[in-house]
Amino acid sequence: MSESEVLTVGILGGGTMGVGIATVMARAGHRTIIRDLDHQRTDAGLQGVRQFIQRSVELGKLDTAESDDILRRLSGTSELGDLAGCDVVVEAIFEDVRLKAEIFGALDEICDSRTLFHTNTSTLSVTEIASGSRLPNRVVGTHYCNPAALMKLVEVVKARQTDAESYGRTVTFLRGLGKTAVTVQDSPGFIVNRFLVPFENDCVRALASGIGTVESIDSALINGLRYPMGVFRLLDVVGLDIHKAVSVSLFDKFHDRRYACPPLIDQMISSGDLGRKAGRGFYSYEDSNLFGG
Amino acid sequence: MEREKMVVKPIGTVGLLGFGVMGAGIAQVASRAGYDVIAVDTDKSILAAGEDRVRESLVMAELRGKLSDKEAELAFLRIRPTTSIDTLSSADIVVEAVAEVKEIKLEVLATVGNVVSDDVVVVTNTSALSVTELARAVPLPGRFGGLHFFNPVPAIRLVEIVRALATTDETIDQLTKFVESLGKVSIVVKDRPGFLVNRLLMPYLNDVIQAYDEKLASAEDIDIAVELGLGYPMGPLKLLDLIGLDVHEHATCAAYESCHDPSLAPPPLLQRMVEAGYIGNKASHGFRVGQSGGEA
């Protein structure tokens, strides 16, 4: 596998991450197949990629010839069997360790033994996911950041079973996508979430205990540490329910109290203040139809 | 001619105690904002070094097109270095920025209390000490508070205004206006260990050091992941090298002694690296500079 080799890449899951990753693959020149459970979901995934590519043309980042080529490389299916010819399969389905392990097990029967299996999990054990395959040595974690089509970082996670060849081919492949790969142990939260989640919870606890306010803490981070966004603004964008799920998952593994979800988050979830998508979180969002009517 | 006179007229006088790295940064920001600055330190060589720092920093700003030759010269001339603490009697506000050692700060603050008039606000620039405790050294604790500037002072917009238990609302108002006049953004924070920024930053830095020691990833990959994944201007290990591992250890230990929160406890690798003298950029040996990083 060289950086410029044209490959066939299967994407499992046509949700937000699947769409972003499929966009990256097709844009890099690979034949890209999105697979989801039924035609409706597969079509929604394909539509997501088309919209992104269309937007790139409107913004002048791609010309129409490039856009046509990209879309020609893209197809969809609801049949797992259609991934038989894939060189790489990237799994981006629901964040459930059993489902992920099972789907790689099912692909054992379908794919070549040299096919790389990539899992895009953010908090689960890649080692546990790999255990679902009879050839777990070719399973590698590739954690893309959202939005995957724009963010350069990919965390490459070596499971206990991952062999050096699969790891090396994965790094080469990611470089060909124009991504920057960092290598991390199979440890909960990898690098980014390992450090971000307790920091976010610390900020929420600082707010709850009166050490700072929403405004002073966000100003401290933006003006004092030059972070691109305040923590409460970020939590609102991510969604408090999603943040809680990630916190709970990491707490289950580490049993370190700093990963524990602060009571204030629970209360805000109970009162429906989930963040931007609900029209209100730490801030309120006037432009939402859901709130302030 | 008339216009030039107006430009030259200062908007007030800032008295500065301590002309080290932080003092020089504060002097530069205040003089650029239009204040006259009286910079006091104990001996002539420290004052000369402080002047060099300011001059160098102004030249850099000039090269980046931030100010004209004339403005840089004017800013430089507005700073008057002196070894005489009595000259602070003409200051409208006094900022103490001497070494981060409680005994030294208490002694200096006691002296300044006798020099300035009752209506002058005195502040301490500290990051690790209790402002409330330092307030006991001045005759009027109500007119005393903390101003926590961040290094490098000209580059970082934020200033934490620290309200000690005795600080009055009027003093907080005056400090808010003063910070604004410097072109900075202020937040008012409680006098608790680490105030706000460091209270949130230090546990994160400690987490990173511990995870690095456990071989989660290489130092470079940790920094890249944080810079690209979170958009922070600098990865945590590069930041620690810049801050100085000794400075971080001192600050996190001080906070830990006060709250006994385990997230503030210095990780063993940090302690070992400080003991070895691997304290970052200034020693040319830290997590990202020099050989072997923290693999010992």
Coordinates of all heavy atoms in Angstrom, one line a residue, chain B residues 197-279:
Chain B
V197 N -7.7 30.7 36.1 CA -7.0 30.1 35.0 C -6.1 28.9 35.5 O -6.2 27.8 35.0 CB -6.2 31.1 34.2 CG1 -5.3 30.4 33.2 CG2 -7.1 32.1 33.6
N198 N -5.3 29.2 36.5 CA -4.4 28.1 36.9 C -5.1 27.0 37.6 O -4.7 25.8 37.6 CB -3.3 28.7 37.8 CG -2.2 29.4 36.9 OD1 -2.1 29.1 35.7 ND2 -1.5 30.3 37.5
R199 N -6.2 27.3 38.3 CA -7.0 26.3 38.9 C -7.5 25.2 37.9 O -7.6 24.0 38.2 CB -8.2 26.9 39.7 CG -9.0 25.9 40.4 CD -8.3 25.3 41.6 NE -9.0 24.2 42.3 CZ -9.0 23.0 42.0 NH1 -8.3 22.6 40.9 NH2 -9.6 22.1 42.7
L200 N -7.8 25.7 36.7 CA -8.3 24.8 35.7 C -7.1 24.2 34.8 O -7.2 23.1 34.4 CB -9.3 25.6 34.8 CG -10.5 26.1 35.5 CD1 -11.3 27.0 34.5 CD2 -11.4 24.9 35.9
L201 N -6.1 25.0 34.7 CA -5.0 24.6 33.8 C -4.1 23.5 34.5 O -3.7 22.5 33.9 CB -4.1 25.8 33.5 CG -2.9 25.5 32.5 CD1 -3.3 25.1 31.1 CD2 -2.0 26.8 32.5
M202 N -3.8 23.7 35.8 CA -2.8 22.8 36.4 C -3.2 21.3 36.5 O -2.4 20.5 36.2 CB -2.5 23.4 37.8 CG -1.7 24.7 37.7 SD -1.0 25.3 39.3 CE -2.5 25.6 40.2
P203 N -4.5 21.0 36.8 CA -4.8 19.6 36.8 C -4.7 19.0 35.4 O -4.2 17.8 35.3 CB -6.3 19.6 37.3 CG -6.5 20.8 38.0 CD -5.6 21.8 37.4
Y204 N -5.0 19.7 34.4 CA -4.8 19.2 33.0 C -3.4 19.0 32.7 O -3.0 17.9 32.2 CB -5.5 20.3 32.1 CG -4.9 20.4 30.7 CD1 -5.2 19.4 29.7 CD2 -4.2 21.5 30.3 CE1 -4.7 19.5 28.4 CE2 -3.7 21.6 29.0 CZ -3.9 20.6 28.1 OH -3.4 20.8 26.8
L205 N -2.5 19.9 33.1 CA -1.1 19.7 32.8 C -0.5 18.5 33.6 O 0.2 17.7 33.1 CB -0.3 20.9 33.2 CG -0.5 22.2 32.3 CD1 0.2 23.4 32.8 CD2 -0.2 21.9 30.8
N206 N -1.0 18.3 34.9 CA -0.6 17.2 35.7 C -1.1 15.9 35.1 O -0.4 14.9 35.0 CB -1.1 17.3 37.1 CG -0.4 18.4 37.9 OD1 0.7 18.8 37.5 ND2 -1.1 19.0 38.9
D207 N -2.3 15.9 34.6 CA -2.9 14.7 33.9 C -2.0 14.3 32.7 O -1.7 13.1 32.5 CB -4.2 15.0 33.2 CG -5.4 15.0 34.2 OD1 -5.2 14.6 35.3 OD2 -6.5 15.4 33.7
V208 N -1.6 15.3 31.9 CA -0.8 15.0 30.7 C 0.6 14.4 31.1 O 1.0 13.4 30.6 CB -0.6 16.3 29.9 CG1 0.4 16.0 28.8 CG2 -1.9 16.8 29.3
I209 N 1.2 15.0 32.2 CA 2.5 14.5 32.6 C 2.4 13.0 33.0 O 3.2 12.2 32.7 CB 3.1 15.3 33.7 CG1 3.4 16.8 33.2 CG2 4.4 14.7 34.3 CD1 3.6 17.8 34.4
Q210 N 1.3 12.7 33.8 CA 1.2 11.4 34.3 C 0.9 10.4 33.2 O 1.5 9.3 33.1 CB 0.0 11.3 35.3 CG -0.2 10.0 36.0 CD 1.1 9.6 36.8 OE1 1.8 10.4 37.4 NE2 1.4 8.3 36.7
A211 N 0.1 10.8 32.2 CA -0.3 9.9 31.1 C 1.0 9.7 30.2 O 1.2 8.6 29.7 CB -1.4 10.5 30.3
Y212 N 1.8 10.7 30.1 CA 3.0 10.6 29.3 C 4.0 9.6 30.0 O 4.6 8.8 29.4 CB 3.7 12.0 29.1 CG 5.1 11.9 28.6 CD1 5.3 11.5 27.3 CD2 6.2 12.2 29.4 CE1 6.6 11.5 26.7 CE2 7.5 12.2 28.8 CZ 7.6 11.8 27.5 OH 8.9 11.7 27.0
D213 N 4.0 9.7 31.3 CA 4.9 8.8 32.1 C 4.4 7.4 31.9 O 5.2 6.4 31.9 CB 4.8 9.2 33.6 CG 5.9 8.6 34.4 OD1 6.9 8.1 33.8 OD2 5.8 8.5 35.6
E214 N 3.1 7.2 31.7 CA 2.5 5.9 31.6 C 2.6 5.4 30.1 O 2.0 4.5 29.7 CB 1.1 5.8 32.1 CG 1.0 6.0 33.6 CD -0.4 6.4 34.1 OE1 -1.4 6.3 33.3 OE2 -0.5 6.7 35.3
K215 N 3.3 6.2 29.3 CA 3.5 5.9 27.9 C 2.2 5.8 27.0 O 2.1 5.0 26.1 CB 4.3 4.6 27.7 CG 5.7 4.7 28.4 CD 6.7 3.7 27.8 CE 8.0 3.7 28.5 NZ 8.6 5.0 28.8
L216 N 1.3 6.7 27.3 CA 0.1 6.8 26.5 C 0.4 7.1 25.0 O -0.1 6.5 24.1 CB -0.8 7.9 27.0 CG -2.1 8.2 26.2 CD1 -3.1 7.0 26.4 CD2 -2.8 9.5 26.6
A217 N 1.4 8.0 24.8 CA 1.8 8.4 23.5 C 3.1 9.1 23.6 O 3.5 9.5 24.8 CB 0.7 9.2 22.8
S218 N 3.8 9.4 22.5 CA 5.0 10.2 22.6 C 4.7 11.7 22.9 O 3.5 12.1 22.7 CB 5.7 10.2 21.2 OG 5.1 10.9 20.3
A219 N 5.7 12.4 23.4 CA 5.5 13.8 23.8 C 5.0 14.6 22.6 O 4.1 15.4 22.7 CB 6.7 14.4 24.4
E220 N 5.6 14.3 21.5 CA 5.2 15.1 20.2 C 3.8 14.8 19.8 O 3.0 15.7 19.5 CB 6.2 14.7 19.1 CG 6.0 15.6 17.9 CD 6.9 15.2 16.7 OE1 7.5 14.1 16.8 OE2 6.9 15.9 15.7
D221 N 3.4 13.5 19.9 CA 2.1 13.1 19.4 C 1.0 13.7 20.4 O -0.1 14.0 20.0 CB 1.9 11.6 19.3 CG 2.4 11.1 18.0 OD1 2.9 11.9 17.2 OD2 2.4 9.9 17.7
I222 N 1.3 13.7 21.7 CA 0.4 14.3 22.6 C 0.1 15.8 22.3 O -1.0 16.3 22.2 CB 0.9 14.2 24.1 CG1 0.8 12.8 24.6 CG2 0.1 15.1 25.0 CD1 1.4 12.5 25.9
D223 N 1.2 16.5 22.0 CA 1.1 17.9 21.6 C 0.3 18.1 20.3 O -0.5 19.0 20.2 CB 2.5 18.6 21.5 CG 3.0 19.0 22.9 OD1 2.3 18.9 23.9 OD2 4.2 19.4 23.0
I224 N 0.7 17.3 19.3 CA 0.0 17.4 18.0 C -1.5 17.1 18.2 O -2.3 17.8 17.6 CB 0.6 16.4 17.0 CG1 2.0 16.9 16.6 CG2 -0.3 16.4 15.7 CD1 2.8 15.8 15.8
A225 N -1.8 16.1 19.0 CA -3.3 15.7 19.1 C -4.0 16.9 19.8 O -5.1 17.2 19.3 CB -3.4 14.5 20.0
V226 N -3.4 17.5 20.8 CA -4.1 18.6 21.4 C -4.2 19.9 20.5 O -5.3 20.5 20.4 CB -3.4 19.0 22.8 CG1 -3.9 20.3 23.3 CG2 -3.6 17.8 23.8
E227 N -3.1 20.1 19.8 CA -3.2 21.3 18.9 C -4.2 21.1 17.8 O -5.0 22.0 17.5 CB -1.8 21.6 18.3 CG -0.8 22.2 19.4 CD 0.6 22.1 19.0 OE1 0.9 22.0 17.8 OE2 1.5 22.2 19.9
L228 N -4.1 20.0 17.1 CA -5.0 19.8 16.0 C -6.4 19.4 16.4 O -7.4 19.7 15.7 CB -4.4 18.7 15.0 CG -3.1 19.1 14.3 CD1 -2.7 17.9 13.4 CD2 -3.3 20.4 13.5
G229 N -6.5 18.6 17.4 CA -7.8 18.1 17.8 C -8.7 19.1 18.6 O -9.9 19.1 18.5
L230 N -8.0 20.0 19.4 CA -8.7 20.9 20.2 C -8.5 22.4 19.8 O -9.2 23.3 20.3 CB -8.4 20.8 21.7 CG -8.7 19.4 22.3 CD1 -8.2 19.3 23.7 CD2 -10.2 19.2 22.3
G231 N -7.6 22.6 18.9 CA -7.3 23.9 18.4 C -6.6 24.8 19.4 O -6.6 26.0 19.3
Y232 N -6.0 24.2 20.5 CA -5.2 25.0 21.4 C -4.0 25.6 20.7 O -3.4 24.9 19.9 CB -4.8 24.2 22.6 CG -6.0 23.7 23.5 CD1 -7.3 24.0 23.2 CD2 -5.7 22.9 24.7 CE1 -8.3 23.5 24.0 CE2 -6.7 22.5 25.5 CZ -8.0 22.7 25.2 OH -9.0 22.3 26.0
P233 N -3.5 26.8 21.1 CA -2.4 27.3 20.4 C -1.1 26.6 20.6 O -0.2 26.7 19.8 CB -2.3 28.8 21.0 CG -3.0 28.7 22.3 CD -4.0 27.7 22.2
M234 N -1.0 25.8 21.7 CA 0.2 25.1 22.0 C -0.1 23.8 22.8 O -1.0 23.8 23.7 CB 1.1 26.0 22.9 CG 2.6 25.5 23.0 SD 3.5 26.6 24.0 CE 3.9 28.0 22.9
G235 N 0.6 22.7 22.4 CA 0.4 21.5 23.1 C 0.8 21.6 24.6 O 1.7 22.4 24.9
P236 N 0.3 20.7 25.5 CA 0.6 20.9 26.9 C 2.1 20.7 27.3 O 2.6 21.3 28.2 CB -0.2 19.8 27.6 CG -0.5 18.8 26.5 CD -0.6 19.6 25.2
L237 N 2.8 19.8 26.6 CA 4.2 19.5 27.0 C 5.1 20.7 26.5 O 6.1 21.1 27.2 CB 4.6 18.2 26.5 CG 3.8 17.0 27.2 CD1 4.1 15.7 26.5 CD2 4.2 16.9 28.7
K238 N 4.8 21.2 25.3 CA 5.5 22.4 24.8 C 5.3 23.5 25.8 O 6.2 24.3 26.1 CB 5.0 22.7 23.4 CG 6.1 23.2 22.5 CD 5.4 23.7 21.2 CE 5.2 22.5 20.2 NZ 4.5 23.0 19.0
L239 N 4.0 23.7 26.2 CA 3.6 24.7 27.1 C 4.4 24.6 28.5 O 4.9 25.6 29.0 CB 2.1 24.7 27.4 CG 1.6 25.8 28.3 CD1 1.8 27.2 27.8 CD2 0.1 25.6 28.6
L240 N 4.5 23.4 29.0 CA 5.2 23.2 30.2 C 6.7 23.6 30.1 O 7.3 24.2 31.0 CB 5.1 21.7 30.7 CG 3.8 21.4 31.4 CD1 3.6 19.9 31.4 CD2 3.9 21.9 32.9
D241 N 7.3 23.2 28.9 CA 8.7 23.6 28.7 C 8.8 25.2 28.7 O 9.8 25.7 29.2 CB 9.2 23.1 27.3 CG 9.6 21.6 27.4 OD1 9.6 21.1 28.5 OD2 9.9 21.0 26.4
L242 N 7.8 25.8 28.1 CA 7.8 27.3 28.1 C 7.7 27.9 29.4 O 8.4 28.8 29.8 CB 6.7 27.8 27.1 CG 6.6 29.3 26.9 CD1 7.8 29.8 26.1 CD2 5.3 29.6 26.2
I243 N 6.7 27.4 30.2 CA 6.4 28.0 31.5 C 7.6 27.7 32.4 O 8.0 28.6 33.3 CB 5.2 27.3 32.1 CG1 3.9 27.6 31.4 CG2 5.0 27.7 33.6 CD1 2.7 26.7 31.8
G244 N 8.2 26.6 32.3 CA 9.3 26.1 33.2 C 8.7 25.1 34.1 O 7.6 25.4 34.8
L245 N 9.2 23.9 34.1 CA 8.7 22.8 35.0 C 8.8 23.2 36.4 O 7.9 22.8 37.2 CB 9.4 21.5 34.7 CG 8.9 20.7 33.5 CD1 9.0 21.4 32.2 CD2 9.6 19.3 33.4
D246 N 9.8 23.9 36.8 CA 10.0 24.3 38.2 C 8.9 25.3 38.6 O 8.3 25.2 39.7 CB 11.4 25.0 38.4 CG 11.7 26.1 37.4 OD1 11.0 26.1 36.3 OD2 12.5 27.0 37.7
V247 N 8.5 26.2 37.7 CA 7.5 27.2 38.0 C 6.1 26.5 38.1 O 5.4 26.7 39.1 CB 7.4 28.2 36.8 CG1 6.2 29.1 37.0 CG2 8.7 29.1 36.8
H248 N 5.9 25.5 37.2 CA 4.6 24.8 37.3 C 4.6 24.0 38.6 O 3.6 23.9 39.3 CB 4.4 23.9 36.1 CG 3.3 22.9 36.3 ND1 2.0 23.3 36.4 CD2 3.3 21.5 36.4 CE1 1.2 22.2 36.5 NE2 2.0 21.2 36.6
E249 N 5.7 23.3 38.9 CA 5.7 22.5 40.2 C 5.5 23.3 41.4 O 4.7 23.0 42.3 CB 7.1 21.8 40.3 CG 7.0 20.8 41.4 CD 8.4 20.3 41.9 OE1 9.4 21.1 41.8 OE2 8.5 19.1 42.2
H250 N 6.1 24.5 41.4 CA 5.9 25.4 42.6 C 4.4 25.8 42.7 O 3.9 25.8 43.8 CB 6.8 26.7 42.4 CG 6.6 27.7 43.5 ND1 5.9 28.8 43.3 CD2 7.1 27.7 44.7 CE1 6.0 29.5 44.4 NE2 6.7 28.9 45.3
A251 N 3.8 26.1 41.6 CA 2.4 26.6 41.6 C 1.5 25.5 42.0 O 0.6 25.7 42.8 CB 2.0 27.2 40.3
T252 N 1.7 24.3 41.4 CA 0.7 23.2 41.7 C 0.9 22.7 43.1 O 0.0 22.3 43.8 CB 0.9 22.1 40.6 OG1 -0.4 21.4 40.6 CG2 2.0 21.1 40.8
C253 N 2.2 22.7 43.6 CA 2.4 22.3 45.0 C 1.7 23.3 46.0 O 1.1 22.9 47.0 CB 3.9 22.3 45.3 SG 4.7 20.8 44.7
A254 N 1.9 24.6 45.7 CA 1.2 25.6 46.6 C -0.3 25.4 46.6 O -0.9 25.4 47.7 CB 1.6 27.0 46.1
A255 N -0.9 25.1 45.5 CA -2.3 24.9 45.4 C -2.7 23.6 46.1 O -3.7 23.5 46.8 CB -2.8 24.9 44.0
Y256 N -1.9 22.6 45.9 CA -2.1 21.3 46.6 C -2.1 21.4 48.1 O -2.9 20.9 48.8 CB -1.1 20.2 46.1 CG -1.4 18.9 46.7 CD1 -2.5 18.1 46.4 CD2 -0.5 18.4 47.7 CE1 -2.8 16.9 47.0 CE2 -0.7 17.2 48.3 CZ -1.9 16.4 48.0 OH -2.1 15.3 48.6
E257 N -1.1 22.1 48.6 CA -1.0 22.3 50.0 C -2.2 23.0 50.6 O -2.6 22.7 51.8 CB 0.3 23.1 50.4 CG 1.5 22.2 50.5 CD 2.8 23.0 50.4 OE1 2.8 24.2 50.8 OE2 3.8 22.4 49.9
S258 N -2.8 23.9 49.8 CA -3.9 24.6 50.3 C -5.2 23.8 50.2 O -6.1 23.9 51.1 CB -4.1 25.9 49.5 OG -5.2 26.6 49.9
C259 N -5.4 23.0 49.2 CA -6.7 22.3 49.1 C -6.6 20.8 49.2 O -7.7 20.1 49.2 CB -7.5 22.7 47.8 SG -6.8 23.5 46.5
H260 N -5.4 20.2 49.1 CA -5.3 18.8 49.1 C -6.2 18.0 48.1 O -6.6 16.9 48.3 CB -5.6 18.2 50.5 CG -4.5 18.6 51.5 ND1 -3.3 17.9 51.6 CD2 -4.4 19.7 52.3 CE1 -2.6 18.6 52.5 NE2 -3.2 19.7 52.9
D261 N -6.4 18.7 47.0 CA -7.1 18.1 45.9 C -6.0 17.3 45.1 O -5.0 17.8 44.6 CB -7.7 19.2 45.0 CG -8.4 18.6 43.8 OD1 -8.1 17.6 43.3 OD2 -9.4 19.3 43.4
P262 N -6.2 15.9 44.9 CA -5.2 15.1 44.3 C -4.9 15.5 42.9 O -3.8 15.2 42.4 CB -5.8 13.7 44.3 CG -7.2 13.8 44.8 CD -7.4 15.1 45.4
S263 N -5.8 16.2 42.2 CA -5.5 16.6 40.8 C -4.5 17.7 40.8 O -3.9 18.0 39.7 CB -6.8 17.0 40.1 OG -7.2 18.3 40.6
L264 N -4.2 18.3 41.9 CA -3.1 19.3 42.0 C -1.8 18.8 42.5 O -0.8 19.5 42.5 CB -3.6 20.5 42.9 CG -4.8 21.3 42.3 CD1 -5.4 22.1 43.5 CD2 -4.4 22.2 41.2
A265 N -1.8 17.6 42.9 CA -0.5 17.0 43.4 C 0.5 16.8 42.2 O 0.1 16.4 41.2 CB -0.8 15.6 44.0
P266 N 1.7 17.2 42.5 CA 2.7 17.1 41.4 C 3.0 15.7 41.0 O 3.4 14.9 41.9 CB 4.0 17.8 42.0 CG 3.8 17.7 43.4 CD 2.3 17.7 43.7
P267 N 2.9 15.3 39.8 CA 3.2 13.9 39.4 C 4.6 13.6 39.6 O 5.5 14.5 39.5 CB 2.9 13.9 37.9 CG 2.1 15.1 37.6 CD 2.5 16.1 38.6
P268 N 5.0 12.3 40.0 CA 6.4 12.0 40.3 C 7.3 12.3 39.1 O 8.4 12.8 39.4 CB 6.3 10.5 40.5 CG 4.9 10.2 40.9 CD 4.0 11.2 40.2
L269 N 6.9 12.2 37.9 CA 7.9 12.5 36.8 C 8.2 14.0 36.8 O 9.4 14.3 36.5 CB 7.3 12.1 35.4 CG 8.2 12.5 34.2 CD1 9.5 11.8 34.3 CD2 7.5 12.1 32.9
L270 N 7.3 14.8 37.1 CA 7.5 16.3 37.2 C 8.6 16.5 38.3 O 9.6 17.3 38.1 CB 6.2 17.0 37.5 CG 6.4 18.5 37.8 CD1 6.7 19.3 36.5 CD2 5.1 19.1 38.3
Q271 N 8.4 15.9 39.4 CA 9.4 16.1 40.5 C 10.8 15.6 40.1 O 11.7 16.3 40.4 CB 8.9 15.3 41.8 CG 7.5 15.7 42.3 CD 7.1 14.8 43.4 OE1 7.9 14.5 44.3 NE2 5.8 14.4 43.4
R272 N 10.8 14.4 39.5 CA 12.1 13.9 39.1 C 12.8 14.9 38.1 O 14.0 15.1 38.1 CB 12.0 12.5 38.4 CG 11.5 11.4 39.4 CD 12.5 11.1 40.5 NE 12.2 11.9 41.7 CZ 11.2 11.5 42.5 NH1 10.5 10.5 42.3 NH2 10.9 12.3 43.6
M273 N 12.0 15.4 37.1 CA 12.6 16.2 36.1 C 13.1 17.5 36.7 O 14.2 18.0 36.3 CB 11.6 16.5 34.9 CG 11.5 15.2 34.1 SD 10.4 15.4 32.7 CE 11.3 16.5 31.6
V274 N 12.4 18.1 37.7 CA 12.9 19.3 38.3 C 14.1 19.0 39.1 O 15.1 19.8 39.1 CB 11.7 19.9 39.2 CG1 12.3 21.1 40.1 CG2 10.6 20.4 38.4
E275 N 14.1 17.9 39.8 CA 15.3 17.5 40.6 C 16.6 17.4 39.6 O 17.7 17.7 40.0 CB 15.1 16.1 41.3 CG 14.2 16.3 42.5 CD 13.6 14.9 42.9 OE1 14.0 13.9 42.4 OE2 12.7 14.9 43.8
A276 N 16.3 16.8 38.4 CA 17.4 16.6 37.5 C 17.9 17.9 36.8 O 18.8 18.0 36.1 CB 17.0 15.6 36.4
G277 N 17.1 19.0 37.0 CA 17.4 20.3 36.3 C 16.8 20.3 34.9 O 17.1 21.3 34.2
Y278 N 15.9 19.4 34.6 CA 15.3 19.4 33.2 C 14.0 20.2 33.3 O 12.9 19.7 33.3 CB 15.0 17.9 32.8 CG 16.1 17.0 32.7 CD1 15.9 15.6 32.7 CD2 17.4 17.4 32.7 CE1 16.9 14.7 32.6 CE2 18.5 16.5 32.6 CZ 18.2 15.1 32.6 OH 19.3 14.3 32.5
I279 N 14.2 21.5 33.4 CA 13.1 22.4 33.7 C 12.5 23.1 32.5 O 11.7 24.0 32.6 CB 13.4 23.4 34.8 CG1 14.6 24.2 34.4 CG2 13.6 22.7 36.1 CD1 14.9 25.3 35.4

